[in-house]
Amino acid sequence: MNYYFVWVRSSRYHGSGPLTYASSSRLPTGTIVEVQLQKTVVLGVVSGPTTKPRFQIKPVTRILDLPPVPAHLIKTAQWLMSYYPAPLGLMTQQLLPASFSDKSLGLPILSEFTVPDLTALPALTAEQKSALEAMTERDSYLVHGTTGSGKTRLYIELAARAVADGKSAIILTPEISLTTQLADNFRQIFGTRVIVMHSQQAPAERQKAWLDSLRAKEPVIIIGPRSALFSPVDKLGLIILDEAHESAYKQEQSPQYQTGRVAAYLSGITRATLVLGSATPSVSDYYLARQKNKPIIKLTQLAQEHMHADTEVVIVDRKDHSLFSRSPYISLALVKAIEGALSRGEQTLLYLNRRGTARLVMCQNCGWQATCPNCDVPLTYHGDNHQLRCHSCSYHANTPSVCPECKHPDVIFKTAGTKAIVDDVQRLFPSARIARFDTDNSKAERFEQHFEAVRSGEVDILVGTQLLAKGLDLPHLSTLGVVLADTSLYMPDFSAQERTFQLISQVLGRIGRGHVAGRAVIQTYHPDHPVLKDALASDYQRFYKRELAEREQFMFPPFCYLLKLTARRATIKSAAAATEKLKDEIIGAGYHVRVEGPAPSFYERFQNKYQWQLVVKARERSELLKIVESLPAGYSYDLDPLDLL
């Protein structure tokens, strides 16, 4: 009898070490098995042999006839547990699908592999050629390419280079909605080698994609969001994070990893080339690349060599109400720009990073405001189903026709969301074909389901949130309206200015890409704010220098590591007391850290409990790991948070 350590794929297993099982067969490390955990059979992966224990153990239930999980993935998961501590059962969920059906296991192995053919692609620009010549070493590169400069073209060349070397490539995108466009671009060259994996696929489709990756005998191209980084490809030669600055690359559930850091480790142990691509790199990534003397590849010129390169930008001051005589949300300048686009058969994108119809529902008579009974945050009104909804805990209720407090009928709806913009646009342009894309879309309404229709020009006006602000190349899109440029600017967080710069820069990048002349109308209450000026001028360096100086002054990343500690309790008093007690324990333990707080969390009440937090800053990340390891029960933590909200 042989004995093995097995990592079990189950959220019910909270231990940090593997479990031991017996098998009469010899099992290589990485073997995928089914084992019994309590009374349930779950998937697991063999992490190595062990000696016979003194206690009675269970046998392996089933050995799946599959190649082993690649050793570099197991090694990465082991490192991940030490860098972003989490239960082993959750960590194993990154490595294996939830299950395999007999039907999926019986599907034929991917055997036809397209020979990459780049001849149909447009010729490389001089700048792209220089970039490729500078990226010959297996190293990590920051590609700082302005929107429309042809970063995807660069990615395809690098992927072809990897395939020619017998290596696979993983191309990550921050949003599932962007996988369709990216996969289409790569399929034109790599055909059957392209495998798409994401969480919104049907279980059978996702199982097939995972198995195709594991069993492929030749190099493949994996495309997907952050979870695709753990695809079981055997020989890995290239990892690309497109739009690398995006917050979606931070996993909010345990293990709360930052994809860029995991990708850096994975590329290091596989000797794969790592590329972080962005028109607006994060301040931390840019600073670290400079400090470590890593190559920063700059692309400043449009890849499309057409006459329509410049974008005409109009700034509208939201404080001047005379400019909004036809609509409370859409200025006269924007109305005129939309009319022009419609007359030319071109598309318009209206961007507002707020969902719903109204973000504030209140009584003008007594001041009552609709708030969530569980979270104390304002409820958002959704006019399409006449409901109030909490975007934190999903509480919902019918919209009252009179004030619940004073019974007065004067209940008003203010602070528009995307649904209100759609209603107003339909009133102003009744014959226009309008589509809204945000996280309130049903499965059938999601952008990836309508990508071809949007790309071909079958939609005249797109209304949406940040889902539409990044990565898209729509040839018919000429006009951009930023309904309110200030939505994230004054959030009480160290990342607010960076986030605003990135969002405005990215959404401006959807037009003026060389297809048609670009026109942008930016509506803002603060037309002279330096962040908006930098974004509109595409002046990353000026923004970077100012933001970096502020981060250094107030000790924020990249000049420290962050740990956010949160206590959730039944009362404000107990939550405040718990965080105060934890602060005293941390200071008393003598860690080399700075502790700020306690203070109420940005969302002080969540799911009927009160949240208070501490922010711990350290020059050495190991100090924060010590705190996490000794953290008492009843507290949650987030290592390397992107914000402190």
Side-chain angles (χ1 to χ4, degrees):
M1 187 62 68
N2 304 293
Y3 301 91
Y4 297 97
F5 287 132
V6 175
W7 294 7
V8 293
R9 190 199 187 282
S10 173
S11 58
R12 293 184 295 110
Y13 179 61
H14 302 290
S16 58
L19 299 177
T20 304
Y21 290 87
S23 174
S24 57
S25 303
R26 292 192 176 277
L27 304 179
T29 298
T31 300
I32 302 170
V33 295
E34 289 181 351
V35 294
Q36 189 172 354
L37 180 67
Q38 296 175 342
K39 295 182 179 179
T40 307
V41 175
V42 299
L43 282 177
V45 59
V46 174
S47 62
T50 184
T51 56
K52 181 179 180 180
R54 296 180 180 178
F55 49 88
Q56 187 174 1
I57 61 172
K58 297 175 181 177
V60 170
T61 304
R62 180 186 179 191
I63 303 168
L64 275 68
D65 185 18
L66 292 171
V69 172
H72 63 254
L73 275 187
I74 294 177
K75 190 173 181 180
T76 299
Q78 289 171 330
W79 168 84
L80 192 58
M81 285 189 63
S82 64
Y83 202 81
Y84 292 107
L88 186 60
L90 290 177
M91 198 65 68
T92 311
Q93 289 182 345
Q94 311 302 314
L95 301 183
L96 298 174
S99 62
F100 294 112
S101 66
D102 290 336
K103 181 179 180 180
S104 64
L105 290 171
L107 289 173
I109 297 173
L110 184 63
S111 58
E112 295 184 5
F113 295 92
T114 303
V115 177
D117 181 7
L118 281 68
T119 56
L121 291 175
L124 291 165
T125 65
E127 215 174 31
Q128 289 170 337
K129 288 178 182 177
S130 297
L132 286 168
E133 289 170 1
M135 301 171 72
T136 54
E137 300 294 326
R138 290 178 178 174
D139 199 351
S140 61
Y141 300 90
L142 177 60
V143 176
H144 184 192
T146 185
T147 50
S149 59
K151 292 188 291 296
T152 302
R153 179 75 171 87
L154 210 63
Y155 302 158
I156 290 173
E157 292 283 343
L158 292 170
R161 187 187 291 176
V163 170
D165 289 342
K167 303 290 183 68
S168 293
I170 296 176
I171 319 294
L172 301 182
T173 182
E175 301 284 353
I176 292 173
S177 60
L178 296 175
T179 56
T180 302
Q181 174 180 278
L182 198 59
D184 285 351
N185 288 333
F186 274 81
R187 282 198 178 105
Q188 291 176 20
I189 309 303
F190 300 98
T192 55
R193 293 182 190 270
V194 175
I195 299 173
V196 175
M197 279 201 285
H198 57 75
S199 59
Q200 290 180 4
Q201 291 172 313
E205 185 181 5
R206 186 165 173 78
Q207 286 177 31
K208 182 182 185 304
W210 195 91
L211 289 168
D212 283 345
S213 305
L214 180 70
R215 300 190 292 194
K217 301 296 185 183
E218 288 197 27
V220 292
I221 310 293
I222 306 295
I223 293 178
R226 61 176 182 266
S227 59
L229 182 62
F230 298 95
S231 301
V233 292
D234 184 22
K235 296 177 181 178
L236 184 59
L238 175 68
I239 304 172
I240 294 174
L241 273 71
D242 191 27
E243 309 290 355
H245 65 279
E246 277 295 330
S247 59
Y249 282 123
K250 174 69 160 69
Q251 174 146 305
E252 297 301 330
Q253 302 83 30
S254 184
Q256 293 172 306
Y257 62 85
Q258 285 202 34
T259 308
R261 295 191 182 179
V262 183
Y265 179 84
L266 182 57
S267 67
I269 63 173
T270 58
R271 299 192 70 242
T273 297
L274 173 64
V275 176
L276 305 181
S278 175
T280 54
S282 79
V283 169
S284 293
D285 284 346
Y286 204 88
Y287 175 80
L288 291 173
R290 286 180 133 183
Q291 290 296 108
K292 295 180 179 180
N293 291 317
K294 293 294 183 182
I296 298 177
I297 310 296
K298 294 186 179 181
L299 299 174
T300 60
Q301 300 170 359
L302 284 179
Q304 297 264 4
E305 296 182 357
H306 297 302
M307 58 181 291
H308 306 300
D310 294 330
T311 295
E312 176 190 348
V313 179
V314 175
I315 309 297
V316 175
D317 191 340
R318 288 283 289 131
K319 298 188 294 294
D320 187 347
H321 298 294
S322 67
L323 303 177
F324 293 83
S325 57
R326 292 187 62 184
S327 163
Y329 316 122
I330 302 174
S331 63
L332 295 174
L334 184 50
V335 170
K336 183 179 178 181
I338 297 171
E339 288 174 342
L342 290 172
S343 68
R344 295 187 300 271
E346 297 167 355
Q347 287 176 320
T348 297
L349 166 59
L350 297 179
Y351 168 76
L352 177 63
N353 209 23
R354 288 175 175 166
R355 294 150 53 198
T357 304
R359 297 291 294 270
L360 178 64
V361 180
M362 65 178 296
C363 174
Q364 288 202 114
N365 183 56
C366 72
W368 167 85
Q369 183 178 337
T371 57
C372 175
N374 303 321
C375 306
D376 276 352
V377 297
L379 291 171
T380 298
Y381 172 62
H382 289 259
D384 51 349
N385 54 19
H386 202 53
Q387 279 202 331
L388 300 174
R389 192 182 307 167
C390 175
H391 289 168
S392 294
C393 73
S394 298
Y395 168 85
H396 56 89
N398 292 327
T399 305
S401 56
V402 298
C403 173
E405 297 288 338
C406 69
K407 309 304 179 186
H408 198 278
D410 199 4
V411 177
I412 62 170
F413 303 84
K414 297 179 73 74
T415 314
T418 49
K419 290 180 180 178
I421 302 304
V422 168
D423 292 341
D424 218 35
V425 171
Q426 286 175 334
R427 176 182 62 81
L428 291 168
F429 308 102
S431 61
R433 298 167 295 180
I434 304 165
R436 173 183 57 83
F437 298 106
D438 55 35
T439 52
D440 287 326
N441 289 136
S442 66
K443 184 175 181 180
E445 295 170 335
R446 289 174 186 158
F447 182 79
E448 58 267 28
Q449 305 294 333
H450 298 272
F451 172 71
E452 286 303 328
V454 171
R455 182 176 174 79
S456 64
E458 294 176 28
V459 176
D460 298 316
I461 302 174
L462 293 83
V463 179
T465 58
Q466 59 182 314
L467 289 176
L468 298 179
K470 48 208 168 191
L472 294 174
D473 187 8
L474 304 176
H476 299 281
L477 182 62
S478 69
T479 303
L480 167 69
V482 177
V483 178
L484 183 60
D486 317 314
T487 51
S488 60
L489 188 55
Y490 292 103
M491 296 293 280
D493 188 71
F494 77 94
S495 66
Q497 295 197 138
E498 180 178 30
R499 189 76 183 130
T500 300
F501 177 84
Q502 290 169 340
L503 281 172
I504 298 301
S505 300
Q506 291 288 330
V507 75
L508 276 170
R510 296 317 103 216
I511 59 174
R513 302 173 68 90
H515 301 296
V516 290
R519 297 167 184 81
V521 178
I522 312 297
Q523 301 178 172
T524 172
Y525 285 103
H526 306 279
D528 295 322
H529 197 287
V531 171
L532 291 179
K533 284 187 171 182
D534 291 346
L536 295 175
S538 300
D539 196 335
Y540 177 83
Q541 291 300 329
R542 187 170 63 186
F543 165 77
Y544 169 77
K545 290 174 183 177
R546 187 179 61 252
E547 183 70 11
L548 194 67
E550 289 187 13
R551 299 275 184 98
E552 186 172 23
Q553 179 183 356
F554 297 105
M555 194 179 171
F556 280 109
F559 299 101
C560 73
Y561 294 95
L562 289 181
L563 171 65
K564 183 170 71 172
L565 301 170
T566 306
R568 295 180 64 198
R569 300 291 188 269
T571 65
I572 294 177
K573 185 177 179 180
S574 58
T579 46
E580 190 66 58
K581 178 184 177 184
L582 181 60
K583 179 178 182 178
D584 292 341
E585 291 176 357
I586 292 172
I587 293 173
Y591 299 114
H592 299 292
V593 298
R594 179 193 296 181
V595 185
E596 297 178 355
S601 300
F602 183 72
Y603 296 104
E604 184 178 3
R605 193 163 172 237
F606 179 65
Q607 295 182 342
N608 220 20
K609 295 205 174 202
Y610 292 89
Q611 302 185 132
W612 277 54
Q613 68 184 35
L614 297 173
V615 176
V616 187
K617 299 177 178 179
R619 300 288 187 187
E620 299 294 331
R621 197 172 183 278
S622 57
E623 293 294 293
L624 301 183
L625 286 170
K626 292 175 187 176
I627 295 174
V628 169
E629 289 169 3
S630 61
L631 194 65
Y635 298 90
S636 61
Y637 65 87
D638 186 0
L639 261 171
D640 305 325
L642 295 183
D643 59 60
L644 299 175
L645 299 177

